[in-house]
Structures are given as structure tokens and as C-alpha cells.
Amino acid sequence: MIMSNCNKTKAEQTADPGKYPQGYFKPKPCKCCKKVFTPKAPSELYCSDTCKDKGIMNAYLQRNYGITFRQYRLMLEDQKGLCKICGSEGFIMNKDRHKMKLVVDHCHSTGKVRGLLCHNCNRALGLFQDSQDSLLKAIDYLKV
């Protein structure tokens, strides 16, 4: 598996300050928590792996859904950590790529965020193409 420098853990970062003009890396504030830290590489933006994960999730959520990681956490708290449809706590689909048990569900035509769902419920809505008519027909079918 190939990892870019920005996704390496703190322990995996191996930049040599001696190879840079100033010979050291200047302390700077963490992009997430604002704590001042001395980076292990000039491109390092976060003081810890926890802050890095939060920063990456925040950027992803803002780019794709227009919400912050803080807003995601508030939604998660409001839903008591459970899927809005089935009530399960969800699951992490791929531990190498995903960090959240519940995913953001949104309307594909308006972009409006509806809530947090487990992977299965989110995929089910997608497979039904968000069609209420198809879902009602599926419910009727299940009654047979």
C-alpha cells in the first residue's frame, strides 16, 4: 500500500532536518487544536495522529457535504450514535480508508444533509435511487 507523506503516522515520518537550509523545523501551531508543536517534516500540519485524522475528516466533510467535523459530531450526538433508519451503531466498512461508523446521507438533487446512516441503509437508499415510490413498492412486496 502506497501512502503519501500527509497520511503517514507521526512514527512513520522520516524527514531529515539537516537536508533543509535552516537545518531544523520551526515550531508551528497545529491546524486542528492550535497547540504549538515541532514538526517532523516541513509539510506536517498536525501535532498528533488524532488531530491529523480530525483534519482529514473535516476537509472531506466540508468538501463533499458542506458540514464540519464538529457538525458531524453534533449530529451523531443528536442521533445518540445510531443510524437514523435502522437504529444500529453502524460499522466501519474498510479500516484502512474509513474512520466513521455512520456516514452522511444527503439528497442528491438538493445536496441537503438528511442525517447519519449506517453503510447498509445508505446503500439501500442509493440502490432505490431515493425513490419513495420504489421504497413503498418494496414495503408492499415484503408484506406478501
Side-chain angles (χ1 to χ4, degrees):
M1 176 183 185
I2 299 172
M3 295 180 97
S4 69
N5 281 344
C6 64
N7 288 330
K8 287 184 177 181
T9 64
K10 299 279 282 176
E12 294 171 324
Q13 293 174 358
T14 58
D16 179 5
K19 293 184 178 182
Y20 291 83
Q22 74 272 17
Y24 65 95
F25 301 133
K26 294 179 183 177
K28 59 183 172 182
C30 173
K31 193 174 174 183
C32 181
C33 72
K34 309 301 182 217
K35 175 182 147 191
V36 175
F37 73 105
T38 302
K40 290 185 175 183
S43 61
E44 189 176 12
L45 303 173
Y46 304 101
C47 68
S48 67
D49 290 334
T50 301
C51 280
K52 176 185 61 96
D53 288 345
K54 285 179 186 177
I56 289 169
M57 282 191 274
N58 192 58
Y60 168 79
L61 291 168
Q62 285 184 340
R63 183 176 61 249
N64 290 289
Y65 307 108
I67 65 170
T68 64
F69 183 59
R70 183 177 185 279
Q71 289 171 306
Y72 174 90
R73 286 193 330 262
L74 290 172
M75 287 171 52
L76 189 64
E77 186 179 307
D78 185 52
Q79 291 181 211
K80 297 178 179 33
L82 303 174
C83 173
K84 213 163 187 174
I85 292 177
C86 73
S88 76
E89 68 176 27
F91 57 93
I92 294 180
M93 190 123 100
N94 177 339
K95 289 177 178 43
D96 293 331
R97 295 183 56 212
H98 302 121
K99 305 281 183 201
M100 300 178 278
K101 287 184 174 183
L102 297 179
V103 297
V104 178
D105 176 55
H106 70 289
C107 175
H108 286 263
S109 45
T110 66
K112 183 179 181 244
V113 171
R114 295 185 281 220
L116 304 178
L117 303 178
C118 70
H119 291 283
N120 288 341
C121 288
N122 191 51
R123 278 185 299 202
L125 289 181
L127 291 170
F128 277 105
Q129 299 176 334
D130 292 348
S131 166
Q132 292 180 14
D133 186 50
S134 293
L135 285 164
L136 290 171
K137 286 178 182 176
I139 290 168
D140 287 341
Y141 172 80
L142 288 173
K143 292 177 182 176
V144 175

